[in-house]
Amino acid sequence: MTPEMRSTAASLPIGQILLREKLISEPDLQAALEQQSQSKELLGAVLLKRGLLDEEHLFPLLALQLGVEYVDLKKVEIPTAVLSRVPAQFASHYKAIPIRSHNGHLTVALSDPRDILKIDELSATLRSTIDPVIAGERAILESIRRYYGLGAETIERMLANAPERMLPREAAESLDELTSEASIGSFVNQLILEAYREGATDIHIEPTAEGLAVRYRVDGFLRDAKVPKNLKHFKDPINSRIKILSHLNIAEKRLPQDGRFNVKTQDGQLDLRVSFLPTAFGESLVIRILNPNQLFDLKELGLSSRDQNALDGLIRRPHGIVFVTGPTGSGKTTTLYSCLSRLNDPDTKILTIEDPVEYQLNGITQIQVNPAIGLTFAQGLRSMLRHDPDIMMVGEVRDHETAEIAVQVALTGHLVFSTLHTNDAVSGITRLLDMGIEPYLLSSSVICFMAQRLVRVACPKCKQPAKEDSDLLKNFNLKPEDLQSAVLVAAKGCRDCKFTGYQGRKGIYEFLVLDEELRQMIHDRTSAGEIRSRAVQKGMITLRQDGWEKVRTGLTTPEEVIRVTQEET
């Protein structure tokens, strides 16, 4: 906004200011005004709800119009002494956060500094003169969670009412509707909802000698969740609440227990897997967050167009086995589900046997392993054959019996998908031979070993151009001319990525497709090293080479690819 425009903006309605700044269109403004006349809300709130504007653009202009100071809470560090003047439950109730204190005056950020009633209540409650400034409501709530800790106001209220401690209720219908009640149930709901919003795959609640630690696993790394220090007083009630939701024995604290339960959010339903483990300081709890409605598409996995075409051809073979290999947490199951989704149609009978069934796919029959009653992978595979399947998926080949049956199934005209825990594609051959599978059976049944890893994607908001490193050529086995078209980036870190420098993950892949020559080498028990060398000579792209393609295009950093791949010789 130019200085001339600033001098007159304060006298204009906010809608006209937004039009002048070209932040909204005339039709959008008229539609918002019509909705405002019915809902009686502020125009800014209507625009935010309709997704026509974001807080970062709206509130600086509101501040200019109202003649108050705008505070970008992402760029402000609030002193602990100032925060201590406003209890967490007051900050949460009034949706206000203190910014600074001076000479008996307390500067407080509000989304509507014209709310005189709220300001007077704060002033009387805190016994201080309140100087209001303006900030976005979403930014205020994020700052409250950041500084006070997740659910701090709930914990404060429960401590205040400790003699009347509430027992956990039955399973919550909706997390979004139940996060305001001061109870253990409310805190657990907030914990799960916050983890889901952060993109976490797991919640770790771990008792320590000092108290209770809460961590989220995001993009494969654990990060501390900001929780109140006095949460340690509610360790047992939290565990009991989750055990009740999971239909577990709340009295049993000496043995491991596993369970599951479902919760609802505004985006849909979440499937939560729960595991309790007794430790020296009490029960350690891990909650895995799964979205059963998640859509799987090969295009979203990070496969290059070359690998997409190769995989699409492999999964349409009439029979054989496709093994996806990699360590725990490398995305193997997601890849398998993506393959099944691509093949899922009314003309095809698909059966899976898994431990556990992580995602539900319509049109596919899925079986949960239950060793306690004798339903193992091997037993399930035998029974599945009587249902005349076209395609079968085995969650994991763990032993000789399962591997042998899977091989026989493939040799009798079925397409089979499964996983192995190995470090690379060629090691899958060694693993199956070690299980006791005869080389001639292995070479006759397996179509492909596909290894994969997940690399973190460089944060698009803070990644910076990087200079060529002297070790780059060596680490990726490159030639100087390979760097000419490379767009190298470095991870810096910002608030959006929680100062990690990364947001999200993509896969890197290694395809060992067996041809006649490689099959003969397996039949002759040739060493894994020789098979690997020959496969590379024949054009196999290794994990690190595929990772370089992600580095070259600026998707990730060299350090990230080196971290997840072993040195190739």
Side-chain angles (χ1 to χ4, degrees), residues 219 456-465 489-506 553-557:
D219 294 338
R456 293 178 295 169
V457 176
C459 175
K461 293 192 176 181
C462 67
K463 66 181 179 182
Q464 296 180 330
V489 298
K492 179 185 177 184
C494 63
R495 289 195 186 278
D496 287 317
C497 62
K498 307 298 182 185
F499 298 100
T500 63
Y502 300 93
Q503 269 192 331
R505 291 188 292 179
K506 291 290 184 182
T553 57
L555 185 70
T556 189
T557 63

Side-chain angles (χ1 to χ4, degrees), residues 196 222 340 388-389 404 406 415 455 505 550 559:
Y196 171 65
L222 286 171
L340 294 182
D388 189 27
E404 188 174 48
L415 182 61
V455 295
R505 291 188 292 179
K550 271 68 174 180
E559 296 79 13

